[in-house]
Amino acid sequence: MSADVTREERRLILHVGGPKCGSSALQAALSATPELSAKTGSDLDYVGARPSGKRWTLQRGSALQKAAQRLVHGYVSWPNLGRQDDPAPVFAALDRVWRGAKRGAATPVLSNEGWIGQADSFAEHLPHWFDPDKGAPIEVLGFARPPIDWLNSAYWQWGVWSGRSFQGWLENVVLPYRLGSSFARWKALPNTRLRLHLSGDVLKAFSQTYDVTLPPAPSRNTALPPAMVGFLMRNRRFRPTPHDSATEFIFQRWCKVENAPRLWAIMPRHLPLIQTAVKAEVETLFGLLPQEEGRAIRQANPRWGRPAAYGDQIRGGRSRLDDTEELAQLYMALCRGVRAAAQAAGQRPPQLQPPLATRSAVHAWDVPVSVALDHLIALDTGLRRRRWLSRPFRG
């Protein structure tokens, strides 16, 4: 733990993102162990919230753990304020945590990756948080990834579901990579201390910063195999909107496709547009770090500044989403996942269709994949609905 953080100073840790920068992994690990003991300084208390009528109810400790086990994504976090018709009840709940925090007690940790762009909204609704005379500093925790990695991941998370190509998506949205300016706005707020990490290992960075031990978390909200994305695009009932990712979390909980190629969308012709668009944002990010730390990160990870570091990835072009051999691997992984979920539920595995020949048409493969996925969703949903479940099931 850094020497400048003491038990007396710390009152609140606000993890604000960014999106696609390891937030799901961190939230899953904190949900699994919401009460963390540090060797020095203050212990940590991960606090979540759930809607209850017109209010938001706080969640802590074992109640938070059990709530996470029942949620499809497997973790608890706070709501994204930008999606609230009326954010006032959320701010009221946040303020209850702030007012209930005591010096010398465990430090509350609050998290939502969508908060990265909402510094001004926090300042407007919670002005006393940012008054040095009314409380200890708010510690703002942030993570960022190199822009090419981030844009590629963001496209497959959101942009592809619009039907646009990568370039079409990039040209039709306000610059999506605004991590530098967003973190700078948080740092500019009075009474805040920004702790920004660009190294890439979110769980390690959190553990080292706060001198705690986080458990390794199962993959959450990571890139899908290309064949799965292609299937979901052809069968939109499983993924009707860019934000309906429940099927993906269920698939990732139970299924693993060995040696699946990485999803990739960025080609050489996209680089000039990307480099022009994100140059100022990257420089702003590094300007928020001590100069020596920033120099060490650039040296350790050339992806922060040199597209050549991506080599064949960029030259290889966009991933194929209709490779039938990859569909065969996907189907076998689903069959294994269904068997594992049935075993966890204490049920006999359903009878699934034998694999087709790899030369079979893509749409022919969609039939058995759909059946297996329907079974997996039903089994997973049933397991999460068992309110008496005392410990997490593992897929």
Side-chain angles (χ1 to χ4, degrees):
M1 176 180 293
S2 300
D4 62 332
V5 181
T6 69
R7 180 182 295 272
E8 288 303 311
E9 287 179 332
R10 287 230 309 273
R11 289 290 301 277
L12 194 71
I13 298 170
L14 206 63
H15 168 235
V16 302
K20 304 307 300 176
C21 296
S23 297
S24 297
L26 179 59
Q27 290 159 356
L30 289 170
S31 295
T33 53
E35 297 171 341
L36 290 161
S37 296
K39 296 176 183 177
T40 58
S42 176
D43 296 340
L44 304 184
D45 177 25
Y46 184 58
V47 184
R50 63 177 178 84
S52 179
K54 295 182 178 181
R55 288 167 52 89
W56 286 80
T57 300
L58 302 182
Q59 295 176 301
R60 285 184 161 98
S62 61
L64 186 149
Q65 284 179 312
K66 291 179 180 178
Q69 294 166 19
R70 298 175 185 131
L71 293 172
V72 68
H73 40 274
Y75 56 80
V76 169
S77 67
W78 283 73
N80 186 334
L81 293 164
R83 298 181 189 171
Q84 302 300 309
D85 293 331
D86 178 13
V90 180
F91 282 115
L94 287 165
D95 202 34
R96 291 203 304 275
V97 179
W98 184 84
R99 293 182 185 279
K102 297 179 181 180
R103 290 181 178 175
T107 300
V109 182
L110 314 176
S111 173
N112 184 278
E113 64 276 10
W115 290 346
I116 185 174
Q118 295 166 345
D120 291 338
S121 189
F122 270 79
E124 176 187 351
H125 288 85
L126 302 168
H128 48 287
W129 281 26
F130 308 100
D131 184 342
D133 295 328
K134 293 185 178 179
I138 304 298
E139 193 154 299
V140 178
L141 180 64
F143 299 90
R145 297 168 65 187
I148 290 177
D149 282 314
W150 190 92
L151 287 166
N152 180 70
S153 181
Y155 172 73
W156 293 111
Q157 179 72 20
W158 304 303
V160 69
W161 309 107
S162 69
R164 293 191 178 106
S165 66
F166 175 80
Q167 184 159 337
W169 171 69
L170 198 61
E171 291 174 343
N172 283 276
V173 295
V174 178
L175 175 64
Y177 192 87
R178 298 187 299 273
L179 305 185
S181 55
S182 296
F183 283 128
R185 182 63 194 126
W186 275 105
K187 185 175 183 179
L189 291 178
N191 204 41
T192 61
R193 175 191 290 120
L194 176 65
R195 293 195 173 277
L196 178 62
H197 299 275
L198 309 184
S199 61
D201 191 330
V202 173
L203 300 188
K204 181 179 179 181
F206 186 95
S207 296
Q208 291 181 343
T209 299
Y210 299 109
D211 194 29
V212 297
T213 301
L214 282 177
S219 295
R220 294 284 192 274
N221 205 21
T222 55
L224 294 170
M228 185 63 174
V229 173
F231 168 82
L232 292 174
M233 292 186 72
R234 295 188 301 272
N235 299 270
R236 295 302 293 269
R237 70 182 177 90
F238 292 107
R239 186 66 149 85
T241 76
H243 299 292
D244 288 330
S245 56
T247 297
E248 297 175 30
F249 280 100
I250 293 172
F251 173 82
Q252 291 170 338
R253 182 154 38 246
W254 298 102
C255 305
K256 182 175 179 57
V257 180
E258 299 291 344
N259 302 316
R262 181 184 178 185
L263 280 167
W264 197 257
I266 299 173
M267 291 179 273
R269 69 173 184 271
H270 300 140
L271 295 179
L273 176 62
I274 291 173
Q275 290 176 297
T276 299
V278 306
K279 182 178 180 181
E281 289 291 323
V282 172
E283 292 310 310
T284 299
L285 272 176
F286 279 87
L288 298 172
L289 297 175
Q291 190 173 26
E292 286 300 316
E293 181 181 346
R295 185 180 298 115
I297 289 172
R298 289 183 193 265
Q299 290 176 347
N301 187 357
R303 291 179 179 235
W304 274 108
R306 297 197 294 274
Y310 292 86
D312 293 339
Q313 255 180 335
I314 288 180
R315 289 189 293 272
R318 182 184 170 103
S319 296
R320 280 192 60 186
L321 306 181
D322 58 357
D323 186 294
T324 54
E325 290 189 4
E326 293 178 21
L327 268 168
Q329 294 174 328
L330 172 69
Y331 182 61
M332 295 307 295
L334 272 167
C335 291
R336 292 191 295 271
V338 168
R339 288 194 295 270
Q343 182 179 19
Q347 298 180 21
R348 177 176 295 180
Q351 187 70 36
L352 298 176
Q353 180 178 329
L356 303 175
T358 55
R359 64 179 180 276
S360 299
V362 168
H363 290 283
W365 274 106
D366 284 354
V367 175
V369 170
S370 294
V371 172
L373 195 53
D374 279 328
H375 280 297
L376 185 65
I377 291 170
L379 287 163
D380 183 86
T381 302
L383 281 163
R384 288 185 288 103
R385 284 178 176 169
R386 291 183 179 179
R387 297 297 181 182
W388 49 262
L389 193 62
S390 61
R391 61 176 182 270
F393 58 88
R394 298 186 181 277

